[in-house]
Amino acid sequence: MMPINQWPSAERPRERLLAQGAAALSDAELLAIFLRTGVSGCSAVELARQLLQQFGGLSALLAANKQEFCAIRGLGEAKFVQLQATMELARRHLASALQRESCMNSPQAVRDYLRSHLQGLEEERFLLLLLDSQHRVISLEALARGTIDAAAVYPREVVKVALSANAAAVILAHNHPSGIAEPSQADRHITGRIQQALALVDIPVLDHLVVGSGESCSFAERGWL
C-alpha cells in the first residue's frame, strides 16, 4: 500500500486540513492525523478506518478504556495518554468559554460540553451544571452513577449542592449507555421531582439533556420544563 507521503498533496489529511480546515476532514482522516503513522502494510488512514469499524464509531473509540485501547495493534500507552490529554484540553476549552458568557447565548456549546463528559460511557452518570445569576458556569458536579431509577439521585442532595455553590440556576444531564437519547418515564419523573424541590429555593432548572451515541435530547426543546 502506498504510504501517505506519496499520495497527491490534495489528498493527504494534513494538507487538506491546512487548505480546507479541520471540519472538512472525515473522522478517519482526523484520527489518522492524531495517529501520525500506520503499521506495516497499513497507512495511518487505513488504520484509522479499521479502528472506527472495530470500535463502532468515533465516540466508542474515544470512550475506550486503557486496556481496550492498548490491545489494538498500532496503538499503545503513549497514544492513549496523548488522546486523554487531547480530550481533556477540549473539555477545558469548552468550560472556559461557558465561564465567560451566558449559557443561554451558547446552547450548542453547553450541549458539546456535556456530551464531552457523557458520550460513550459504559455506565449511566447524572451531572449537575451549576450556573450563576448571569447563567455562566460555576462548576459541573457528578451526582450519581448507575441507572437513574436505581442510583441515588435525591432531590434534596441536588438542592444542597446548588445552595452550597450559590447557584442561581442549574442544568441537568445524564447519558444513556444504550446510545438511545430518548428520555424514559423515569427520566421525566426524577426531573419533575428535582424541578419541584429547586423551585422551593427559587432555583430554576433550565434544561435536562439526555446524551446518547452521537445524539442528545433536550427537555427544554421538548417543552417539558
Side-chain angles (χ1 to χ4, degrees), residues 19-164:
Q20 303 174 34
L25 274 62
S26 66
D27 288 350
E29 289 172 319
L30 290 170
L31 184 57
I33 292 175
F34 169 78
L35 293 171
R36 297 181 59 188
T37 61
V39 295
S40 179
C42 182
S43 71
V45 172
E46 183 56 34
L47 174 60
R49 289 173 180 154
Q50 292 178 11
L51 290 172
L52 292 172
Q53 183 175 13
Q54 183 169 345
F55 279 91
L58 185 60
S59 295
L61 172 60
L62 296 180
N65 61 38
K66 179 182 173 183
Q67 183 177 359
E68 294 169 332
F69 189 89
C70 296
I72 306 301
R73 187 172 72 108
L75 303 181
E77 188 174 87
K79 280 191 169 62
F80 179 77
V81 169
Q82 185 180 354
L83 180 61
Q84 297 307 306
T86 299
M87 291 195 296
E88 182 58 27
L89 283 171
R91 283 191 286 264
R92 293 186 186 189
H93 168 69
L94 290 168
S96 177
L98 293 176
Q99 288 167 348
R100 293 193 303 267
E101 61 177 289
S102 170
C103 287
M104 307 310 289
N105 294 335
S106 307
Q108 187 58 50
V110 175
R111 186 168 295 202
D112 290 343
Y113 177 60
L114 293 171
R115 286 177 59 186
S116 74
H117 283 273
L118 291 170
Q119 192 164 291
L121 296 179
E122 294 180 355
E123 64 176 0
E124 197 162 325
R125 294 187 189 178
F126 190 95
L127 304 180
L128 180 65
L129 190 65
L130 300 161
L131 309 176
D132 66 14
S133 60
Q134 302 300 313
H135 292 163
R136 295 171 302 199
V137 170
I138 298 173
S139 65
L140 180 66
E141 303 294 333
L143 295 185
R145 295 186 177 191
T147 55
I148 281 185
D149 53 354
V153 184
Y154 297 113
R156 66 175 178 270
E157 288 300 318
V158 177
V159 172
K160 180 179 177 181
V161 172
L163 289 175
S164 177

Side-chain angles (χ1 to χ4, degrees), residues 154-218:
Y154 297 113
R156 66 175 178 270
E157 288 300 318
V158 177
V159 172
K160 180 179 177 181
V161 172
L163 289 175
S164 177
N166 196 30
V170 302
I171 293 176
L172 313 176
H174 79 281
N175 65 306
H176 282 176
S178 66
I180 301 172
E182 185 64 26
S184 66
Q185 285 301 315
D187 296 338
R188 298 188 65 176
H189 177 68
I190 192 63
T191 302
R193 290 181 59 206
I194 292 172
Q195 188 177 24
Q196 291 172 5
L198 285 171
L200 296 176
V201 290
D202 296 321
I203 299 177
V205 177
L206 301 183
D207 202 355
H208 184 168
L209 194 71
V210 182
V211 176
S213 178
E215 59 181 6
S216 57
C217 177
S218 163

